[in-house]
Amino acid sequence: MAMGKIIDGKEIAKQLRLQLREEVQSLTAEHGVTPGLAVIVVGENPASHLYVRMKKQACADAGIVSFSHELPQETTEEALLSLIQTLNEHPAVHGILVQMPLPAHIRSQRILEAISPDKDADGFHPRNVGLLAVGAPLFRPCTPWGCMELLHLSGVKPAGQNAVVLGRSNIVGKPVALMLLAEHATVTLCHSQTRALPEIVRQADILISAMGQAELVRGDWLKPGVVVIDVGMNHRASDGKLCGDVAFQEALPKVSAITPVPGGVGPMTITMLLKNTVFSASRFIA
Ligand code: NDP
C-alpha cells in the first residue's frame, strides 16, 4: 500500500526561521528597529521554564531581542499588571508573552486582557480573538497558525474540503476552526461530548487533532487520502514515549500526508511566535 507523505515540521520551521532572520536583519539595517519580545514567567513550573528557555533561544537565533522577566510564585496580580503596563509602553518591546499556566491566585484572563492588543505576540487578547472571528486577523494564535502554515506549505488548499477539528480549546481547536473556515473549508468542530466521533472523522479531507488523547484516532477512522495535522502531545501508556492523538503507524498507509509527533506541529509554534514579533515590529515603523 502507498505510504503517505510525512510533513517535516522541524525542517519547515527551520526554513521559516532562516527567512525571519533575514527580515530581522533588514528591519534593523533599513529602519534601525530590532524586534523585541518580552517573556514573563511566574513561579517555578519546570515545563514553563523549559518553554521560556526555548523561546529565548529561538529569539536569539533569529536576531530578536528577548527581555526575560522571571517572577517568584508569590507575585501578586497587581505587580504583574504593573509590569505588563510598563512593557506595553516600552518602545523596544514589540511583543509580550505571559507563559501559562499562571499560579492559581492570578486571574489569567485579566492578565491576557492587560497586554496591549498591539503587542499581543500570542494572539490571545479578546480583541485579537474577535478580529480572527470576524475574518480580519491581526495577531494570530501561534499553534493554530502553525497548523495552517503546514497545510499551505504542503500544498493543501482547504477551500471546499471537509475539515474536522478535534478539540475546542481557546488556544488550538477553536481558532484553527476559524482559520479553516476563513479559507472556505466546511468545518466540523468536535469535543468530548461529540457522538460517533469515528464516523465524523471518516468524513474528513483534512483532520486537525488537538485533544491530548494518546493515539485515540485509529487508522480505520481515516478516509483514504486525508491530510492529518496532529497537535496532540501525549505520553503513550505502554512505553512512556511521546506520541500524538493519531495512531501514526496505522495512519501512515491511509493518509496523503501527516505530521509526526514529535517533529510536526511543535517546532512551528515558536516559529509563529517569532513571526508575530517581527510583524509587530514592522507595524511600529509603518
Ligand atoms: P485542552 O485540554 O484545553 O483541550 C482539549 C480538547 O479536546 C477539549 O476541547 C476536549 O473537549 C477535547 N477532548 C478531550 N478528550 C476528547 C475525546 N475523547 N473526544 C473528543 N474530544 C476530546 O488542550 P489544548 O487544546 O491545550 O491541547 C491539546 C493537545 O495539544 C495537548 O496534547 C497539548 O499538549 C497539545 N498542544 C501542543 C502544542 C504544540 O505546540 N505542539 C501547543 C498546544 C497544545 P471538552 O472541551 O469537551 O473538554
Side-chain angles (χ1 to χ4, degrees), residues 87-162:
L87 296 170
N88 281 344
E89 289 160 15
H90 197 306
V93 171
H94 305 100
I96 302 170
L97 174 153
V98 179
Q99 186 64 45
M100 298 291 159
L102 287 168
H105 65 275
I106 299 179
R107 288 167 287 181
S108 306
Q109 192 58 30
R110 191 156 177 231
I111 299 305
L112 295 180
E113 288 177 22
I115 295 170
S116 164
D118 289 310
K119 294 190 176 185
D120 182 24
D122 256 342
F124 293 154
H125 189 284
R127 181 174 159 82
N128 284 313
V129 175
L131 286 171
L132 180 67
V134 298
L138 184 65
F139 290 98
R140 296 158 220 244
C142 301
T143 301
W145 192 18
C147 294
M148 297 306 291
E149 284 293 282
L150 288 177
L151 288 178
H152 298 150
L153 294 169
S154 307
V156 178
K157 295 187 174 55
Q161 309 236 45
N162 283 339

Side-chain angles (χ1 to χ4, degrees), residues 143 166-169 171-173 190-193 197 210-213 216 231-234 245 265-266 269:
T143 301
L166 307 180
R168 58 173 162 181
S169 74
I171 64 166
V172 193
C190 304
H191 46 79
S192 65
Q193 299 200 28
L197 202 60
M211 295 184 291
Q213 298 291 325
L216 182 75
V231 187
M233 286 204 302
N234 318 293
D245 289 347
V265 176
T269 297

Side-chain angles (χ1 to χ4, degrees), residues 228-257:
V228 177
I229 304 290
D230 192 348
V231 187
M233 286 204 302
N234 318 293
H235 291 281
R236 197 185 289 123
S238 57
D239 59 8
K241 287 206 173 131
L242 200 58
C243 69
D245 289 347
V246 180
F248 185 81
Q249 290 304 335
E250 290 179 19
L252 202 51
K254 305 247 341 236
V255 303
S256 62

Side-chain angles (χ1 to χ4, degrees), residues 50-108:
L50 172 66
Y51 290 137
V52 164
R53 274 200 302 281
M54 287 166 65
K55 288 168 186 176
K56 287 193 317 202
Q57 184 60 49
C59 280
D61 293 345
I64 295 172
V65 181
S66 62
F67 303 89
S68 182
H69 296 270
E70 297 180 13
L71 308 178
Q73 173 78 16
E74 59 276 13
T75 302
T76 62
E77 192 174 275
E78 291 313 316
L80 184 53
L81 288 170
S82 156
L83 171 62
I84 290 170
Q85 195 49 42
T86 306
L87 296 170
N88 281 344
E89 289 160 15
H90 197 306
V93 171
H94 305 100
I96 302 170
L97 174 153
V98 179
Q99 186 64 45
M100 298 291 159
L102 287 168
H105 65 275
I106 299 179
R107 288 167 287 181
S108 306

